[in-house]
Amino acid sequence: MVRIKFLLIGVLFLDSSQESSGAAAGMGIMAVQYGLLFSILALIISSKRKRAPVNVHEQLLQLGELKEKNIISEYEFDQKKEKLLFKIK
């Protein structure tokens, strides 16, 4: 439905009686309107998606195991731990 409206608007702007600069400006305006509409719809759709809850306790245990096995350093452990604890707040 929306695409049809933009197509009709585009046809009006491409009328041969108008100057080419006016037609180009009209097409530019149409592109901006379409881009804004698409951006708003994408934002709405992405905000409605449910995210899986973060199990901080489980992830902290996994980080502790990685640190004990010397896979990650103490510094990396502290950084990741702070990020996980920030998600709780």
Side-chain angles (χ1 to χ4, degrees):
M1 179 76 174
V2 174
R3 289 183 183 180
I4 294 172
K5 287 181 185 177
F6 283 118
L7 182 62
L8 291 174
I9 292 170
V11 170
L12 291 174
F13 281 117
L14 290 176
D15 184 16
S16 61
S17 64
Q18 294 182 357
E19 295 180 16
S20 62
S21 61
M27 291 300 285
I29 291 170
M30 185 178 70
V32 168
Q33 289 175 340
Y34 184 75
L36 284 173
L37 177 66
F38 181 75
S39 298
I40 291 169
L41 288 175
L43 204 89
I44 291 170
I45 291 170
S46 67
S47 69
K48 289 187 178 183
R49 289 188 179 155
K50 294 183 180 178
R51 296 185 179 119
V54 176
N55 188 347
V56 176
H57 182 266
E58 191 75 28
Q59 289 182 348
L60 282 172
L61 289 175
Q62 290 174 353
L63 278 176
E65 290 175 11
L66 292 175
K67 186 181 85 168
E68 287 175 6
K69 294 177 183 178
N70 290 326
I71 296 174
I72 61 173
S73 67
E74 182 76 32
Y75 178 75
E76 292 171 318
F77 173 78
D78 290 337
Q79 282 187 329
K80 293 183 185 294
K81 182 177 78 173
E82 286 200 28
K83 284 182 183 178
L84 285 171
L85 294 176
F86 182 74
K87 290 181 180 181
I88 294 175
K89 295 178 184 179

